[in-house]
Amino acid sequence: YERAQDAGERAARAEQRAETLAGVLAAPDAESRTARLADGASGTLVVSGRQDRAVFLASGMAEPPSGKVYQLWFDDHGTMRPAGLMDPRSTSQAVLMEGPVDGAAGVGITVEPAGGSKQPTSDPIALLSVPA
């Protein structure tokens, strides 16, 4: 019973995240910025100021090294704030970034140990400025 209840709660959270992600992408005030990443990959940052939320869309990214994960960060004018992990098994994905945009100047992507880090442990592999 507990496993079924846990699965139901996980499904409800996933559905809520999907609805929020779609809401950011479809927001009337949504603005985006696209950049070329390493090895021909591309990344698009979509921000809704009214919702104070952001989505990162990745296409064609190489899988991270074994035991590593791509981590997203909000760049608060030089201070990096964790914003979520990308699925290491998916080369193309949409990620609802965790937390508010809250005036961040940009978004960075780093390669971190599985499970992520509280602060970046590597130089960014990509930096995108937040759309004005």
Side-chain angles (χ1 to χ4, degrees), residues 31-119:
E31 296 192 39
S32 64
R33 168 110 352 117
T34 300
R36 280 270 170 236
L37 307 176
D39 300 327
S42 67
T44 300
L45 177 64
V46 180
V47 176
S48 168
R50 261 190 231 133
Q51 295 181 34
D52 201 21
R53 299 299 306 256
V55 170
F56 181 74
L57 305 165
S59 177
M61 288 187 74
E63 289 187 18
S66 180
K68 302 285 185 173
V69 65
Y70 293 120
Q71 185 164 355
L72 299 166
W73 305 88
F74 283 116
D75 178 3
D76 292 331
H77 304 279
T79 301
M80 300 302 258
R81 173 171 41 104
L85 304 175
M86 297 177 69
D87 182 344
R89 299 171 309 255
S90 183
T91 60
S92 296
Q93 58 191 291
V95 180
L96 176 64
M97 296 181 66
E98 296 173 7
V101 176
D102 196 27
V107 167
I109 305 168
T110 60
V111 178
E112 301 295 333
S117 302
K118 292 183 183 200
Q119 296 294 321

